Amino acid sequence: FFRIGTGELTDSLTFDHITHQSSHLVTYFARKSNAIIELKSKNIHIDNILGLDHNGRTVVSWSMNADEVVSAEEHCAPSIDARLQAAAAVQEAGYRLGFHFDPMIDHPGWQEHYRDIVHRIFSVIRPENMAWISLGALRYPPAMDDLIRERHPESRIVLGELVQGKDKKMRYFKPIRVEMFRSMHEWIRHYSDEVFVYLCMESDDIWKRSFGWSPGNSATLKRMLDERVMPV
């Protein structure tokens, strides 16, 4: 079984109103019984996929963040409300949905801000239509630090409590990450016990301290994600 993800290093839908690439991908995977594709985006260019026979083989996902982070760091990207309106339309077209809080940014008031986004998601999206929700904290290679400061001097993301981790990436201190992940998990569970929530690029220890359990290894996590979208 193949679970193909797009949108990790770019945006799956940004130029879709020009390229119409999504319609080719959706119809291609609709004919596959052993594969699904995930289109991940911050954008709202969904017109090309709404009328397609997707056969349940496409997951459409949105990258989410606090409104304050979007306005400060995601210049020219659609608002969270606009993304949720697009997600609601895609839901009505029968697609499974995903939401990715990655990277979460430590900032004043983050508890209230991220809790509010969780509430707004569950206000418009039914839990049974969610394939998964992922959580990940800000992380980047050390070489990116100077680039961010040079190219985006107004950005405050490099001013957080960051330290180089075992993977050589700059990360928040463990207690900060654990508090963010644990809080998000609790807020999501307030609305649904069934939605699959997972961590991105985190150790077994962080899983257990945040969620109380761990998949143990990447192979098990892959299997669990596959099972969320395999044909019945």
Side-chain angles (χ1 to χ4, degrees), residues 160-164 171-179 206:
E161 294 186 67
L162 298 158
V163 64
Q164 192 172 116
R171 292 173 173 270
Y172 292 130
F173 284 108
K174 276 188 178 183
I176 296 175
R177 283 146 53 205
V178 168
E179 183 184 3
I206 296 295

Side-chain angles (χ1 to χ4, degrees), residues 64-134:
M64 307 296 282
N65 225 307
D67 291 308
E68 290 71 16
V69 173
V70 171
S71 61
E73 306 291 347
E74 298 183 359
H75 304 297
C76 299
S79 67
I80 292 299
D81 284 338
R83 298 178 209 184
L84 286 174
Q85 290 175 9
V90 167
Q91 172 180 243
E92 295 311 307
Y95 289 90
R96 299 287 297 279
L97 302 177
F99 295 98
H100 299 284
F101 288 85
D102 189 8
M104 294 183 68
I105 305 294
D106 182 24
H107 65 280
W110 69 261
Q111 296 93 335
E112 177 185 350
H113 300 156
Y114 282 117
R115 182 171 58 239
D116 176 63
I117 300 301
V118 171
H119 169 73
R120 284 152 64 187
I121 288 175
F122 282 93
S123 295
V124 296
I125 305 299
R126 298 182 289 276
E128 62 269 23
N129 295 331
M130 297 186 200
W132 43 61
I133 297 176
S134 74

Side-chain angles (χ1 to χ4, degrees), residues 1-3 32-36 57 231:
F1 185 77
F2 297 91
R3 182 170 40 83
K32 304 299 176 183
S33 61
N34 67 333
I36 67 103
R57 310 319 305 144

Side-chain angles (χ1 to χ4, degrees), residues 168-226:
K168 306 303 182 184
K169 292 181 180 179
M170 303 301 293
R171 292 173 173 270
Y172 292 130
F173 284 108
K174 276 188 178 183
I176 296 175
R177 283 146 53 205
V178 168
E179 183 184 3
M180 296 177 81
F181 297 150
R182 182 187 294 149
S183 298
M184 284 290 287
H185 189 253
E186 291 176 355
W187 297 330
I188 292 167
R189 288 290 172 253
H190 174 77
Y191 295 97
S192 172
D193 291 327
E194 303 302 322
V195 172
F196 188 69
V197 185
Y198 68 98
L199 294 178
C200 296
M201 304 293 181
E202 287 292 353
S203 67
D204 188 72
D205 175 57
I206 296 295
W207 273 85
K208 290 178 179 178
R209 291 169 62 181
S210 302
F211 291 0
W213 71 280
S214 167
N217 54 63
S218 58
T220 301
L221 178 59
K222 177 188 181 302
R223 176 179 56 79
M224 297 175 77
L225 289 168
D226 288 347

Side-chain angles (χ1 to χ4, degrees), residues 149-166:
R149 293 173 187 272
E150 176 185 346
R151 298 180 183 180
H152 303 280
E154 76 288 350
S155 175
R156 300 185 61 82
I157 65 172
V158 294
L159 304 181
E161 294 186 67
L162 298 158
V163 64
Q164 192 172 116
K166 291 182 179 180

